[in-house]
């Protein structure tokens, strides 16, 4: 059984370690996603989304950032990011 909330917390922590400003906010009908403003990288997570959907958005953003491989992560999160 997967601990979805634990996995979400780990993915958020990884993003923060990589320098992302992770915001968890009610975004209405707007889906979660990442933006870059100058040199600042932000990830907005819609708290109205299910945790599994928030993880999917985070994984997509993290997969595009090769730096994640320099940080120790669980095998489960590593598999999700790699698309295993």
């Amino acid at each position: 059984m997967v601990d979805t909330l634990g996995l979400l917390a780990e993915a958020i922590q990884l993003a923060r370690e990589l320098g992302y400003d992770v915001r968890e906010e009610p975004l209405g009908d707007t889906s979660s996603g990442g933006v870059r403003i100058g040199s600042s990288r932000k990830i907005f997570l819609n708290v109205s989304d299910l945790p599994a959907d928030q993880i999917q958005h985070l994984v997509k953003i993290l997969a595009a950032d090769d730096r994640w491989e320099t940080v120790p992560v669980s095998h489960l999160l590593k598999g999700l990011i790699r698309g295993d």
Side-chain angles (χ1 to χ4, degrees):
M1 177 183 257
V2 176
D3 175 13
T4 304
L5 294 178
L7 188 59
L8 176 58
E10 182 184 6
I12 290 171
Q13 181 61 35
L14 173 59
R16 287 184 173 143
E17 287 180 28
L18 294 177
Y20 291 91
D21 176 18
V22 181
R23 300 265 182 109
E24 299 172 81
E25 301 180 7
L27 301 174
D29 291 336
T30 304
S31 60
S32 300
V35 295
R36 188 172 200 148
I37 302 170
S39 62
S40 176
R41 289 178 258 168
K42 298 186 182 295
I43 297 173
F44 291 93
L45 293 177
N46 189 342
V47 294
S48 300
D49 289 345
L50 295 172
D53 294 334
Q54 293 179 40
I55 291 169
Q56 286 181 351
H57 290 291
L58 277 168
V59 163
K60 183 177 178 183
I61 294 166
L62 293 170
D65 188 336
D66 293 337
R67 298 175 305 144
W68 74 266
E69 295 185 49
T70 64
V71 180
V73 297
S74 69
H75 291 293
L76 182 57
L77 183 56
K78 185 183 294 186
L80 286 174
I81 295 172
R82 287 185 175 166
D84 295 344

